[in-house]
mmCIF file of all heavy atoms in Angstrom:
data_model
loop_
_atom_site.group_PDB
_atom_site.id
_atom_site.type_symbol
_atom_site.label_atom_id
_atom_site.label_comp_id
_atom_site.label_asym_id
_atom_site.label_seq_id
_atom_site.Cartn_x
_atom_site.Cartn_y
_atom_site.Cartn_z
ATOM 1 N N LEU L 211 7.467 18.768 11.225
ATOM 2 C CA LEU L 211 6.648 19.454 10.226
ATOM 3 C C LEU L 211 6.649 20.933 10.532
ATOM 4 O O LEU L 211 6.593 21.335 11.682
ATOM 5 C CB LEU L 211 5.202 18.972 10.324
ATOM 6 C CG LEU L 211 4.673 17.991 9.301
ATOM 7 C CD1 LEU L 211 3.177 17.926 9.412
ATOM 8 C CD2 LEU L 211 5.092 18.351 7.892
ATOM 9 N N HIS L 212 6.714 21.734 9.490
ATOM 10 C CA HIS L 212 6.593 23.176 9.707
ATOM 11 C C HIS L 212 5.123 23.541 9.617
ATOM 12 O O HIS L 212 4.681 24.185 8.677
ATOM 13 C CB HIS L 212 7.425 23.924 8.667
ATOM 14 C CG HIS L 212 8.846 23.452 8.662
ATOM 15 N ND1 HIS L 212 9.713 23.722 9.694
ATOM 16 C CD2 HIS L 212 9.534 22.680 7.789
ATOM 17 C CE1 HIS L 212 10.889 23.159 9.438
ATOM 18 N NE2 HIS L 212 10.806 22.512 8.304
ATOM 19 N N GLN L 213 4.377 23.068 10.593
ATOM 20 C CA GLN L 213 2.940 23.281 10.537
ATOM 21 C C GLN L 213 2.591 24.637 11.143
ATOM 22 O O GLN L 213 2.780 24.888 12.322
ATOM 23 C CB GLN L 213 2.242 22.163 11.308
ATOM 24 C CG GLN L 213 0.736 22.173 11.121
ATOM 25 C CD GLN L 213 0.096 21.017 11.841
ATOM 26 O OE1 GLN L 213 0.453 19.879 11.633
ATOM 27 N NE2 GLN L 213 -0.861 21.326 12.707
ATOM 28 N N THR L 214 2.112 25.510 10.293
ATOM 29 C CA THR L 214 1.859 26.871 10.756
ATOM 30 C C THR L 214 0.377 27.143 10.960
ATOM 31 O O THR L 214 0.001 28.086 11.619
ATOM 32 C CB THR L 214 2.400 27.892 9.746
ATOM 33 O OG1 THR L 214 1.913 27.525 8.453
ATOM 34 C CG2 THR L 214 3.916 27.898 9.745
ATOM 35 N N THR L 215 -0.478 26.285 10.376
ATOM 36 C CA THR L 215 -1.919 26.556 10.480
ATOM 37 C C THR L 215 -2.587 25.507 11.360
ATOM 38 O O THR L 215 -2.034 24.439 11.605
ATOM 39 C CB THR L 215 -2.560 26.524 9.094
ATOM 40 O OG1 THR L 215 -2.233 25.276 8.480
ATOM 41 C CG2 THR L 215 -2.053 27.666 8.234
ATOM 42 N N ASP L 216 -3.767 25.818 11.805
ATOM 43 C CA ASP L 216 -4.557 24.904 12.623
ATOM 44 C C ASP L 216 -5.203 23.868 11.700
ATOM 45 O O ASP L 216 -5.992 24.222 10.830
ATOM 46 C CB ASP L 216 -5.635 25.715 13.358
ATOM 47 C CG ASP L 216 -6.583 24.818 14.122
ATOM 48 O OD1 ASP L 216 -6.366 23.593 14.169
ATOM 49 O OD2 ASP L 216 -7.554 25.360 14.685
ATOM 50 N N PRO L 217 -4.893 22.578 11.859
ATOM 51 C CA PRO L 217 -5.457 21.584 10.942
ATOM 52 C C PRO L 217 -6.988 21.509 11.020
ATOM 53 O O PRO L 217 -7.617 20.985 10.100
ATOM 54 C CB PRO L 217 -4.812 20.267 11.386
ATOM 55 C CG PRO L 217 -4.350 20.500 12.770
ATOM 56 C CD PRO L 217 -4.013 21.955 12.862
ATOM 57 N N PHE L 218 -7.550 22.007 12.096
ATOM 58 C CA PHE L 218 -9.004 21.934 12.227
ATOM 59 C C PHE L 218 -9.703 23.129 11.577
ATOM 60 O O PHE L 218 -10.913 23.224 11.594
ATOM 61 C CB PHE L 218 -9.402 21.822 13.704
ATOM 62 C CG PHE L 218 -8.981 20.516 14.285
ATOM 63 C CD1 PHE L 218 -7.809 20.402 15.006
ATOM 64 C CD2 PHE L 218 -9.745 19.370 14.067
ATOM 65 C CE1 PHE L 218 -7.406 19.182 15.513
ATOM 66 C CE2 PHE L 218 -9.340 18.147 14.573
ATOM 67 C CZ PHE L 218 -8.169 18.054 15.312
ATOM 68 N N ALA L 219 -8.913 24.025 11.019
ATOM 69 C CA ALA L 219 -9.519 25.256 10.490
ATOM 70 C C ALA L 219 -9.611 25.266 8.976
ATOM 71 O O ALA L 219 -10.211 26.140 8.402
ATOM 72 C CB ALA L 219 -8.699 26.464 10.949
ATOM 73 N N LYS L 220 -9.022 24.256 8.328
ATOM 74 C CA LYS L 220 -8.839 24.503 6.906
ATOM 75 C C LYS L 220 -9.451 23.504 5.918
ATOM 76 O O LYS L 220 -9.296 23.672 4.720
ATOM 77 C CB LYS L 220 -7.345 24.634 6.619
ATOM 78 C CG LYS L 220 -6.598 23.354 6.846
ATOM 79 C CD LYS L 220 -5.117 23.546 6.572
ATOM 80 C CE LYS L 220 -4.371 22.264 6.715
ATOM 81 N NZ LYS L 220 -2.953 22.400 6.818
ATOM 82 N N VAL L 221 -10.126 22.476 6.382
ATOM 83 C CA VAL L 221 -10.642 21.508 5.416
ATOM 84 C C VAL L 221 -12.066 21.837 4.982
ATOM 85 O O VAL L 221 -12.967 21.967 5.810
ATOM 86 C CB VAL L 221 -10.627 20.080 5.996
ATOM 87 C CG1 VAL L 221 -11.089 19.091 4.946
ATOM 88 C CG2 VAL L 221 -9.244 19.736 6.474
ATOM 89 N N ASP L 222 -12.235 21.977 3.676
ATOM 90 C CA ASP L 222 -13.567 22.215 3.137
ATOM 91 C C ASP L 222 -14.072 20.913 2.531
ATOM 92 O O ASP L 222 -13.608 20.474 1.486
ATOM 93 C CB ASP L 222 -13.478 23.309 2.067
ATOM 94 C CG ASP L 222 -14.849 23.548 1.444
ATOM 95 O OD1 ASP L 222 -15.830 22.943 1.922
ATOM 96 O OD2 ASP L 222 -14.918 24.329 0.485
ATOM 97 N N LEU L 223 -15.026 20.287 3.217
ATOM 98 C CA LEU L 223 -15.478 18.968 2.757
ATOM 99 C C LEU L 223 -16.475 19.056 1.610
ATOM 100 O O LEU L 223 -16.803 18.045 0.989
ATOM 101 C CB LEU L 223 -16.091 18.181 3.918
ATOM 102 C CG LEU L 223 -15.116 17.827 5.061
ATOM 103 C CD1 LEU L 223 -15.814 17.005 6.112
ATOM 104 C CD2 LEU L 223 -13.901 17.094 4.535
ATOM 105 N N THR L 224 -16.993 20.251 1.324
ATOM 106 C CA THR L 224 -17.972 20.349 0.224
ATOM 107 C C THR L 224 -17.293 20.100 -1.119
ATOM 108 O O THR L 224 -17.887 19.528 -2.021
ATOM 109 C CB THR L 224 -18.641 21.740 0.189
ATOM 110 O OG1 THR L 224 -17.621 22.739 0.092
ATOM 111 C CG2 THR L 224 -19.470 21.971 1.427
#
Side-chain angles (χ1 to χ4, degrees):
Chain L
L211 257 193
H212 306 290
Q213 189 177 305
T214 50
T215 54
D216 174 5
F218 292 97
K220 66 181 183 195
V221 183
D222 178 5
L223 296 183
T224 56

